[in-house]
Amino acid sequence: AYDAYREGRVDIRYDFRMNRVVYLIKDGNKVVDAAGRSLDPNLKPKWWRYGKSGNPFVCGRGRVAILVEDCASACCVSSVFSGVALLGTNLLDTHIKVLQKYDKVFVALDKDATQKALEIVRKLQGIVPTNMMILNQDIKDMDNATRERVLAKYA
C-alpha cells in the first residue's frame, strides 16, 4: 500500500491507541468509515472496522474494478485498476451500488475463498460484466514483477 499512499491514491492514518494502520473509506471526498489493520500479529481481530457504513474501500480511478478482500490488496492493484475491497468475503448491497458504476469487474479473492468468489461472480454478472481472476497467491503477497504480469493479463 506504500506506493498507493506515496502517489496519493489512498489516505492512510495510524491509530496509536490500537496500533493499527487505518485506511480511510470515502464516498467522494467525504470520509464515511475506516478499516484498520493490526500491526501486532498477536492482536485479534486482525482487521477492525471503525464504522458501520457498509461501504467498500476503493483505491484508484480506473473504469475496471478488481474486487478483493482487503484494503492492502486494493491498493496493490490501484496503479492499473480500481481496487475495491469487500473488507471480508461477503458482497453487500452497498458494494453492488459501487461496483455497478464500473465498465467491468474482476473478482480476485484469496484462493481459500474460491467458492465465495464464484458466488459473487454469478451475482454480479447480471449487473455489470464480471469475470474471476484465478490466483495462486494473494495479490498483496506477490512481488511487484509477478503482480504486474498477472494484472497485464486482464488489462
Side-chain angles (χ1 to χ4, degrees):
Y2 180 69
D3 288 341
Y5 173 76
R6 194 185 67 213
E7 295 167 11
R9 294 189 306 269
V10 63
D11 196 348
I12 299 176
R13 307 294 171 92
Y14 175 66
D15 178 346
F16 65 91
R17 280 186 241 150
M18 294 182 74
N19 193 27
R20 292 178 184 276
V21 173
V22 180
Y23 297 82
L24 299 184
I25 299 170
K26 297 182 177 185
D27 186 358
N29 289 326
K30 182 181 175 191
V31 175
V32 296
D33 208 336
R37 170 69 161 86
S38 172
L39 294 173
D40 178 351
N42 298 316
L43 184 65
K44 302 292 183 215
K46 181 171 37 173
W47 284 95
W48 179 264
R49 187 74 182 249
Y50 287 83
K52 298 186 185 307
S53 74
N55 289 31
F57 170 80
V58 179
C59 186
R61 292 180 180 83
R63 295 298 313 147
V64 175
I66 306 293
L67 188 63
V68 295
E69 291 180 34
D70 59 73
C71 300
S73 296
C75 289
C76 286
V77 302
S78 67
S79 64
V80 180
F81 300 102
S82 287
V84 179
L86 294 171
L87 305 173
T89 57
N90 292 320
L91 181 68
L92 306 176
D93 289 341
T94 51
H95 300 151
I96 294 171
K97 284 182 186 176
V98 169
L99 292 168
Q100 68 188 11
K101 298 174 184 173
Y102 290 96
D103 295 337
K104 187 166 193 161
V105 174
F106 289 101
V107 178
L109 303 186
D110 297 351
K111 195 172 186 173
D112 64 339
T114 301
Q115 191 58 43
K116 192 70 139 181
L118 287 169
E119 292 171 21
I120 291 171
V121 169
R122 281 189 217 105
K123 190 168 187 175
L124 287 175
Q125 279 179 330
I127 300 164
V128 61
T130 307
N131 287 318
M132 192 164 118
M133 281 186 166
I134 307 297
L135 303 172
N136 290 324
Q137 72 182 120
D138 187 3
I139 287 175
K140 71 178 175 286
D141 296 331
M142 295 176 185
D143 61 64
N144 287 339
T146 302
R147 184 180 316 109
E148 287 181 19
R149 199 169 41 253
V150 167
L151 294 177
K153 290 181 193 177
Y154 298 94

